[in-house]
Amino acid sequence: MLGNDDWWRDAVVYQVYPRSFADANGDGMGDLPGVRSRLGYLSELGVDAIWLSPFYTSPMADGGYDVSDYRDVDPMFGNLADFDALIEDAHALGIRVIVDVVPNHSSDRHPWFQAGLRDRYIFRDRPNDWESIFGGSAWTQVADGQWYLHLFAPEQPDLNWDHPEVRAEFRDILRFWLDRGVDGFRIDVAHGMVKAAGLPDVGPKEGRQAEMLGDEQLPYFDQDGVHDIYREWRPILDSYPGGRMAVAEAWVSSAERLARYIGPDELHQAFNFEFMMADFHAKSFRAVIEKSLAEAELVGAPTTWVLSNHDKPRHVTRHGGLARARAATLLMLSLPGSAYLYNGEELGLPEVLDLPDELRQDPAFRRIGESRDGCRVPIPWTSAPGCGWQDPWLPIPGSWAELSAEAQQDDPGSTLNLYRAALAARRSHPALGGGALTWLDSPGDVLALERSSGDGDTLAVVLNAGDEPVTLGELGLSGEVLLSSGPLPEDGSVPPDTAIWLQPR
Ligand code: GLC
């Protein structure tokens, strides 16, 4: 299995948020041995790869996206030997491992910042008008009066990518992890790093200046020079065997701009956040899917799909309930390309909306009142009180015992078993993943499409996002229902908020 260089093209990649996934030493914080202990679960789920959010040495000012040593594991997560054991076991199960790389900024506890190596960062005598993504000015003043740039929290100073040692350091960090056997990288803020020459002001704007998904070009995001970095990185990835890949977290203003990150001399993939942002309506989904497919054509690489991650409210809550979330998932998993799952979505976890303010840890919360903590609550493993955790770093709602992996394990109707069945079908049906997509006529708020492979495997997918049931007859379809996101009535109709995969007759 490990050896197919194009594995990432239709892979299902499972995002592990290490603090919240599984806790092996009982300190209330997830860790790498915890991830290792759950590889059997992930293998049974049927994922092709895991992506580990940062587990590097970090003061945790931004959940580990503030790295103080890029070549080590934070003691809260274990050590390098734990990492090596994890990757070895994962590979033995045929699961690849992608790690996060955080190149736009380091922690303010990084030795360079601590040693006052100001040329590695962006220090100026006067700030400009740039705002931090987490709110407030993007500049903080130090004792001698100079200011440094931080597009995120003040504890995350932006690195100066004009400095050759910054570039050399990251090339070396990539090699460090590639040598340890990682199969790829998720590049954090991949559209950052290079800033417009002279750091020009943005000028007056209504509302917040900097939002991740804006349609405007900003002098600190998506500058042409960033592509030189990826052109330096690609030969490094290509020099290792087994299809090492990179996926960009790039929030840019258009599909065309996003496409520039992808190609044989840059990155393999970029997250397609527009699918995540689409409303639960046939029209919105279709528009995004069409756009994404056109973009994939442009770059000659299949797109990625994602419904939830550690930065956005979970899709059960965003789309208005579990039924819709399950339907959206079945749609996503039927689309050409690769899919990224976020830990806990396979259990149908909702966003936790009522976390007490004093427990919230997102650095954005204190500044703009927005908090991503609600999607970072630890995963319920058992149905016992505490759900398998002792004093977790964020409290797990009592009601989650019913949503635990243990509670869902043997329930054929559970969300966990829906995900397992869908991932198994992706593996056994050549039409899914790599096959072609054709739209079928459908009335109202219904989406219908067909996937087919060259060798005659065909599946039809129907999503009813409307208020009325739709019959297969109305859609001109008949066949055997392979999977359904919810209960189906005897009359062969697809109820509202339901999706099916159908093997046409
Ligand atoms: C990315 C991460 C997010 C983090 C930010 C700064 O957007 O996904 O969690 O806060 O970068 O590193």
Side-chain angles (χ1 to χ4, degrees), residues 15 17 51 53-54 62-66 100 102 104-105 133-134 151-153 156 186-191 212 249 251 273 309-311 362-363 372 376:
Q15 180 189 358
Y17 193 67
W51 145 35
S53 277
D62 182 22
Y65 284 95
D66 50 318
D100 232 291
V102 190
N104 181 68
H105 43 265
I133 306 290
F134 293 157
L151 292 181
F152 294 87
Q156 293 167 294
R186 177 261 188 192
I187 303 166
D188 188 63
V189 199
H191 56 314
M212 282 297 241
E249 186 218 16
W251 301 81
F273 290 120
N309 66 22
H310 67 295
D311 289 331
D362 186 343
R372 297 165 292 174
R376 299 175 177 178

Side-chain angles (χ1 to χ4, degrees), residues 99-178:
V99 297
D100 232 291
V101 55
V102 190
N104 181 68
H105 43 265
S106 75
S107 159
D108 61 348
R109 299 300 160 89
H110 188 281
W112 287 355
F113 198 83
Q114 289 290 303
L117 299 177
R118 293 196 183 178
D119 54 348
R120 314 273 166 101
Y121 294 91
I122 303 177
F123 275 83
R124 292 290 183 274
D125 292 334
R126 268 177 304 281
N128 64 9
D129 72 351
W130 294 1
E131 288 173 15
S132 152
I133 306 290
F134 293 157
S137 167
W139 296 88
T140 288
Q141 196 167 27
V142 294
D144 68 6
Q146 275 213 317
W147 301 74
Y148 68 88
L149 177 70
H150 51 86
L151 292 181
F152 294 87
E155 297 89 344
Q156 293 167 294
D158 277 51
L159 286 158
N160 172 17
W161 278 82
D162 288 335
H163 198 297
E165 292 205 22
V166 171
R167 290 185 181 238
E169 173 70 357
F170 274 89
R171 288 195 301 267
D172 196 66
I173 291 165
L174 295 185
R175 287 199 191 90
F176 178 87
W177 293 102
L178 288 164

